[in-house]
């Protein structure tokens, strides 16, 4: 792996940062989070139509730019710095890769160009609150997380030459505003139990979508209720859906890790700016050795997490190995530490819920609730690597 960024990758970062600095001030973020969509539609049009971010990692034949997961991760690192509330992650890192991996040619041709242009947004809906499990980040995703014929899941049955869905999905990122839902559902009964993915349009009869109150308002979530909703099977019935979800989960974890690194880096910058100007006992508090040591530890953690995120994105794009979960664990830990230290070192003002330091804190806590926690991400990676087989540590 060559750790140096190419000229094109540097241009992606520079251009996107210029746009987001102008469009994602504190007041802009709060106004976007309070809107019905949960994001700034004008900003989304700029990011998609002028910069082509939703199609960064999609092939050119489907209207994309033809880059790799690495470029998408770099873009999300910048959006993470700004805490930009956009449907980029849900659309480009979760839904689009599944359609590309499992969809038939007609489905790809009909949907991917619209996703790449930003005309259509999409979301991944899994039963209950099992997003991390479905993506194989905290455990094996070949179990009964899709419902296994019991209440609480999403069931699919054949009817009138098609498919009908019934059930509920919670914690669906941008699910209240997405034009297309990729829904995981259980089918086949007990004899041929399996999980399949289905496409549900926003206007489908029988579907009820409600935005939920989330800890991190810049990452909106929804509860989806499906009441005998007509759906289209994604790909064929013989598709290995758990494998596709696991591959998507690894790449999405790498992208999410880069996003967390961007947020942690900005939290550190904000704190350094504060300790340079805030005075106590006649001197800037940043001149105290104890403060320097704390911020130095944060800096080392952020740099290490960035290296891990970049490597995970490169590995996901080349198929070298799956280390997205480990990179995500390290990035979430770095973000949590940077946010906590920022609140502490800002003093009394840092503890006010409205302070910008809490944007990072809420993002760290919210992402752990959705995709973690950190110790489970690491435990699953250790199990997958058989690190502790026979009671011995394998090196």
């Amino acid at each position: 792996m060559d750790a140096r960024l190419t000229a094109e990758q540097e241009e992606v970062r520079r251009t996107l940062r210029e746009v987001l600095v102008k469009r994602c001030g504190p007041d802009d973020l709060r106004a976007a989070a309070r809107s019905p969509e949960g994001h700034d539609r004008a900003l989304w049009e700029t990011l998609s139509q002028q910069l082509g971010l939703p199609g960064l990692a999609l092939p050119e034949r489907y209207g994309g730019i033809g880059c790799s997961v690495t470029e998408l991760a770099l873009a999300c690192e910048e959006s993470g710095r700004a805490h930009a509330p956009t449907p980029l992650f849900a659309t480009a890192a979760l839904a689009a890769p599944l359609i590309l991996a499992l969809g038939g040619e007609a489905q790809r041709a009909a949907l991917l160009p619209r996703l790449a242009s930003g005309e259509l947004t999409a979301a991944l809906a899994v039963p209950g609150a099992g997003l991390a499990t479905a993506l194989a980040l905290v455990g094996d995703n070949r179990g009964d997380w899709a419902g296994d014929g019991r209440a609480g899941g999403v069931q699919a049955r054949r009817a009138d030459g098609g498919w009908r869905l019934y059930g509920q999905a919670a914690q669906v990122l941008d699910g209240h505003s997405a034009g297309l839902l990729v829904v995981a559902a259980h089918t086949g009964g007990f004899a041929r139990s399996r999980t399949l993915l289905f496409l549900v349009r926003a206007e489908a009869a029988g579907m009820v979508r409600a935005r939920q109150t989330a800890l991190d308002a810049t990452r909106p979530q929804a509860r989806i209720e499906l009441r005998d909703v007509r759906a289209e099977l994604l790909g064929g019935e013989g598709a290995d859906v758990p494998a596709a979800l696991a591959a998507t989960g690894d790449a999405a974890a790498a992208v999410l890790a880069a996003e967390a690194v961007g947020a942690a880096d900005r939290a550190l910058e904000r704190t350094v700016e504060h300790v340079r100007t805030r005075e106590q006992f006649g001197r800037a508090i940043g001149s105290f050795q104890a403060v320097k040591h704390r911020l130095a530890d944060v800096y080392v953690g952020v740099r290490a997490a960035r290296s891990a995120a970049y490597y995970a994105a490169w590995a996901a794009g080349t198929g070298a190995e799956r280390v997205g979960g480990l990179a995500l664990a390290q990035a979430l830990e770095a973000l949590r530490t940077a946010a906590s230290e920022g609140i502490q070192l800002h003093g009394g003002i840092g503890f006010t819920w409205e302070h910008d330091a809490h944007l990072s804190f809420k993002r760290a806590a919210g992402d752990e609730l959705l995709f973690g926690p950190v110790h489970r991400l690491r435990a699953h990676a250790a199990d997958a690597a058989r690190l502790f087989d026979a009671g011995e540590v394998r090196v």
Side-chain angles (χ1 to χ4, degrees):
M1 172 187 173
D2 187 349
R4 295 171 298 181
L5 299 182
T6 66
E8 292 79 6
Q9 291 169 340
E10 289 285 6
E11 184 65 15
V12 169
R13 296 180 61 178
R14 184 191 64 78
T15 304
L16 186 54
R17 184 174 298 191
E18 289 178 357
V19 172
L20 294 178
V21 165
K22 296 177 182 177
R23 303 286 292 274
C24 291
D27 293 337
D28 299 318
L29 294 182
R30 289 175 173 83
R34 288 193 298 266
S35 69
E37 296 86 358
H39 63 266
D40 184 345
R41 283 192 290 180
L43 175 61
W44 176 244
E45 290 177 1
T46 299
L47 298 180
S48 55
Q49 297 177 12
Q50 296 183 22
L51 301 181
L53 294 193
L56 265 179
L58 289 176
E60 293 182 37
R61 67 180 182 275
Y62 296 121
I65 297 179
C67 294
S68 67
V69 177
T70 301
E71 283 73 23
L72 181 59
L74 291 172
C76 284
E77 182 181 358
E78 292 305 317
S79 70
R81 282 181 59 87
H83 295 285
T86 73
L88 178 62
F89 179 76
T91 298
L94 292 178
L98 289 170
I99 296 172
L100 179 63
L102 298 177
E105 185 56 36
Q107 292 173 326
R108 294 176 185 175
L111 297 174
L112 291 180
R114 298 180 63 200
L115 292 173
S117 68
E119 173 194 350
L120 179 68
T121 60
L124 173 62
V126 301
L131 182 59
T133 300
L135 296 174
L137 294 176
V138 296
D140 186 4
N141 68 350
R142 295 183 181 273
D144 60 1
W145 55 269
D148 198 19
R150 297 174 296 184
V154 176
Q155 313 300 320
R157 64 179 180 84
R158 290 185 177 276
D160 304 325
W163 292 87
R164 296 277 183 168
L165 303 183
Y166 187 90
Q168 179 175 293
Q171 297 181 334
V172 181
L173 294 179
D174 294 296
H176 62 294
S177 61
L180 177 71
L181 293 176
V182 179
V183 182
H186 173 269
T187 187
F190 293 100
R192 297 183 58 202
S193 174
R194 63 194 186 282
T195 299
L196 296 176
L197 295 181
F198 296 87
L199 301 174
V200 178
R201 268 64 178 181
E203 65 277 7
M207 180 170 65
V208 178
R209 305 193 289 178
R211 183 176 176 181
Q212 302 295 288
T213 300
L215 178 62
D216 180 7
T218 63
R219 201 186 292 286
Q221 303 172 29
R223 184 183 71 250
I224 309 297
E225 295 181 3
L226 303 161
R227 303 169 182 174
D228 199 32
V229 174
R230 182 179 296 277
E232 177 186 347
L233 178 65
L234 179 62
E237 293 188 48
D240 190 348
V241 171
L245 283 168
T248 298
D250 181 69
V255 171
L256 193 68
E259 186 183 86
V261 165
D265 195 40
R266 179 64 189 119
L268 176 60
E269 287 180 2
R270 185 187 297 113
T271 306
V272 170
E273 291 168 1
H274 176 76
V275 300
R276 282 176 172 171
T277 57
R278 171 65 174 166
E279 292 189 356
Q280 249 183 354
F281 309 111
R283 56 190 289 193
I285 62 175
S287 65
F288 294 114
Q289 191 175 44
V291 174
K292 291 180 180 180
H293 286 175
R294 291 171 69 172
L295 291 179
D297 288 341
V298 174
Y299 175 80
V300 171
V302 172
R303 295 290 293 184
R306 176 178 284 114
S307 296
Y310 285 3
Y311 177 76
W314 172 83
T318 60
E321 57 181 327
R322 292 184 178 180
V323 291
L326 277 176
L328 178 57
Q330 189 162 356
L332 289 179
E333 189 171 64
L335 175 55
R336 183 176 58 194
T337 302
S340 299
E341 291 288 6
I343 291 173
Q344 289 280 338
L345 293 175
H346 271 82
I349 192 173
F351 281 84
T352 59
W353 198 240
E354 296 80 11
H355 194 275
D356 289 349
H358 284 267
L359 290 172
S360 302
F361 174 78
K362 294 172 188 175
R363 175 60 60 88
D367 281 357
E368 278 209 65
L369 289 173
L370 280 171
F371 300 99
V374 166
H375 71 272
R376 289 192 64 192
L377 289 166
R378 287 179 171 149
H380 177 59
D383 290 341
R386 303 175 64 185
L387 192 61
F388 300 108
D389 276 12
E392 298 180 359
V393 177
R394 299 177 59 185
V395 295

